[in-house]
Amino acid sequence: MASKLRLIILGAPGSGKGTISSRIINEFKMAHISSGDILRSNIQQKTDLGLKVKDLISKGQLVTDDIITKVIIQELKKTKASWLLDGFPRNLNQCRILDNEKISIDRVINLEVPFEEITNRLKHRWIHPPSGRVYNLEFNPPKIPRKDDVTGEPLIQRPDDSEDVVLKRLNIYKQQIKPIIDFYSSKDLVETFTGRTSNYLWPLIKDNLIDFKNNKEASELKVQ
Ligand code: G5P
Ligand code: MG
């Protein structure tokens, strides 16, 4: 029987978490749970949650731990399939909350992409908020300009992708990432992948996950 995989993907804003996540979920058939996509979809639907977080997100600030944690824990607990968590945890407190909830993690994929590459990419990002699909006018443009490839609906630019807000988001990331990496390194879960492009990183990540999955399945068979 195929093992259930529970993965976290970490990386700076614009490092390609969403891009690599969509390749992982297609290849390994798992649910993609993205904190940012969930929040943006709530903003678009003008839910109570969306109204609460809209201003914070457009300014590039993190939303409070109690708000985001409740949403994510609920999602994880109702997801029966394998899952990939993108955008959470964002600080040490969120790591501890996952741990306290006894949500076990198999592997943490850590993307390291140079910051100067990121700031350029985000100027050209367009997204489809209902699905979370991500485009880039240079890297993966939509087939029809400003339209989602699947639904034909309009694409938008994220309000937090303006140059000054991106710098603020990168600064928050720099302050928060080390304790998160230390937390998961102490559990021997972190695999770091360094490079300038998603096309370079993807085959490395894919091979690593194939090996990991095969080993996990082999050790589970031995136990049976
Ligand atoms: P999010 O939504 O989690 P971030 O800031 O972590 O947002 P973001 O911006 O979504 O991350 P990404 O997913 O890492 O970036 O990157 P991506 O979208 O795949 O790629 C970026 C662009 O580059 C795209 O246009 C893509 O097509 C292009 N691209 C990819 N690869 C390449 C390449 O090789 N070459 C080139 N040229 N282009 C490429 O969080 C948003 C906000 O929500 C709140 C916070 O306010 C946060 O700021 N939030 C939370 N707050 C508290 N706690 C949490 N856990 C929170 N989670 C979300
Ligand atoms: Mg993203």
Side-chain angles (χ1 to χ4, degrees):
M1 202 178 75
S3 290
K4 185 172 162 174
L5 286 182
R6 290 142 303 192
L7 310 177
I8 288 176
I9 187 161
L10 298 175
S15 58
K17 298 184 295 298
T19 305
I20 297 285
S21 291
S22 70
R23 296 182 191 188
I24 293 177
I25 62 166
N26 280 336
E27 182 72 31
F28 296 94
K29 308 292 170 237
M30 50 173 63
H32 179 209
I33 300 176
S34 156
S35 54
D37 287 353
I38 294 172
L39 294 172
R40 279 183 292 277
S41 144
N42 275 274
I43 292 174
Q44 224 199 10
Q45 290 165 37
K46 299 191 168 64
T47 64
D48 287 348
L49 171 64
L51 293 172
K52 248 187 239 168
V53 300
K54 186 173 180 211
D55 279 352
L56 281 175
I57 293 189
S58 63
K59 287 184 197 144
Q61 289 164 5
L62 293 185
V63 311
T64 57
D65 288 349
D66 57 327
I67 290 184
I68 190 67
T69 301
K70 215 164 119 193
V71 175
I72 294 296
I73 302 285
Q74 219 173 32
E75 277 301 310
L76 292 176
K77 289 198 166 160
K78 77 172 190 220
T79 305
K80 297 278 171 269
S82 295
W83 46 253
L84 169 64
L85 187 52
D86 162 5
F88 189 101
R90 235 8 185 261
N91 57 34
L92 188 56
N93 187 42
Q94 293 181 9
C95 298
R96 291 191 175 129
I97 291 170
L98 268 188
D99 214 43
N100 290 340
E101 289 287 331
K102 308 264 178 283
I103 293 174
S104 66
I105 309 295
D106 292 311
R107 182 144 279 209
V108 175
I109 299 157
N110 177 37
L111 306 181
E112 282 189 350
V113 176
F115 278 16
E116 75 270 12
E117 170 74 29
I118 286 175
T119 38
N120 186 45
R121 280 178 188 184
L122 293 182
K123 288 182 199 150
H124 303 287
R125 171 160 64 182
W126 288 76
I127 63 158
H128 179 243
S131 66
R133 275 185 286 278
V134 181
Y135 300 88
N136 185 284
L137 298 186
E138 293 179 338
F139 176 67
N140 60 329
K143 289 180 191 135
I144 301 170
R146 299 190 186 187
K147 296 270 195 281
D148 177 45
D149 285 355
V150 177
T151 63
E153 289 168 351
L155 303 177
I156 62 155
Q157 284 199 285
R158 280 174 42 176
D160 57 345
D161 275 350
S162 67
E163 220 165 325
D164 53 330
V165 178
V166 168
L167 290 180
K168 212 187 286 171
R169 289 163 58 206
L170 288 171
N171 268 331
I172 295 177
Y173 171 81
K174 270 195 268 182
Q175 288 160 20
Q176 306 283 5
I177 189 64
K178 188 170 180 303
I180 300 177
I181 296 289
D182 289 349
F183 182 88
Y184 289 118
S185 295
S186 74
K187 298 173 186 290
D188 205 15
L189 293 176
V190 181
E191 282 291 333
T192 295
F193 298 89
T194 306
R196 293 195 86 85
T197 69
S198 297
N199 287 346
Y200 169 77
L201 294 173
W202 167 236
L204 305 177
I205 295 170
K206 182 177 154 187
D207 286 352
N208 185 281
L209 285 177
I210 289 173
D211 276 354
F212 177 74
K213 190 167 178 264
N214 288 343
N215 287 337
K216 187 171 186 231
E217 282 170 2
S219 62
E220 283 170 0
L221 268 181
K222 256 191 225 158
V223 172
Q224 280 169 13

